[in-house]
Amino acid sequence: MMIAVSDESVWGAPGAQPGAVPPTSPPTPPPGAPGHPMPGPPGPVLPVWQPPVAPGSTQRRTLRRGAMTVIIIVALLGVGSCGALILGGVRLAKGPIKATDSYFSAIKRGDVEAAFARQCPSLQATATPTALRDAYDTDPVISWHTRGFQDSTDFNGNTVAVVSGTLTRQDGAQLLDVQLEKDGRDWLVCGGVPQPR
């Protein structure tokens, strides 16, 4: 049995010769050879699309940026100034508060001589250490809690401060406004504390 095959089914074209190579496109000649397409000049450079700019808007944008820069600088300077004032106030309050705490801590632990040494001369003239000891022995100090720092001023050439707080003793609690005066580098208690009667 024999099967008939048409030339068309093998090669795809009528009249194609058996063993012939199917046709291909002609090769492109190398650059510079006759028949090679010459590259043309590059096309125009197209700008990246940007929204249309209204006349004068770049000046407004520059002014806005400048104004924002000035506002930010002023805000930073304001925050820095407030921080310096707050830290300065805290540093100023630290000395009188520490002196008041030390005064009542010395009395609480029974070291009346140390408390007496933390008094300014005008307060020391009102009582002796022995009288101070007797006054606090009859009604001992349980605790001192600072409530606040009320004032710090330069008064008659002296730096003074007022520290308010609650003094709790065996017989009860009382609110005190302790007056202090700066003597050199130390703060001394000058008033507002219970004294012997």
Side-chain angles (χ1 to χ4, degrees), residues 95-164:
I97 290 172
K98 186 177 178 184
T100 308
D101 291 346
S102 296
Y103 178 79
F104 287 115
S105 292
I107 290 176
K108 181 179 175 182
R109 67 177 182 268
D111 192 0
V112 178
E113 287 77 19
F116 190 78
R118 288 185 173 89
Q119 292 181 347
C120 64
S122 61
L123 191 60
Q124 287 176 346
T126 62
T128 63
T130 307
L132 193 61
R133 178 186 314 280
D134 293 342
Y136 282 104
D137 282 347
T138 58
D139 189 10
V141 171
I142 296 172
S143 66
W144 164 258
H145 296 287
T146 301
R147 287 190 348 233
F149 176 75
Q150 292 181 340
D151 199 6
S152 176
T153 7
D154 191 21
F155 181 73
N156 290 335
N158 299 321
T159 304
V160 296
V162 177
V163 175
S164 61

Side-chain angles (χ1 to χ4, degrees), residues 29-85:
H36 185 275
M38 292 297 293
V45 177
L46 299 175
V48 176
W49 184 86
Q50 294 179 354
V53 178
S57 67
T58 55
Q59 289 175 342
R60 278 181 273 173
R61 190 178 313 138
T62 303
L63 286 174
R64 250 185 267 136
R65 284 184 187 155
M68 287 303 293
T69 303
V70 168
I71 289 170
I72 289 171
I73 289 171
V74 168
L76 289 174
L77 288 173
V79 168
S81 298
C82 289
L85 287 174

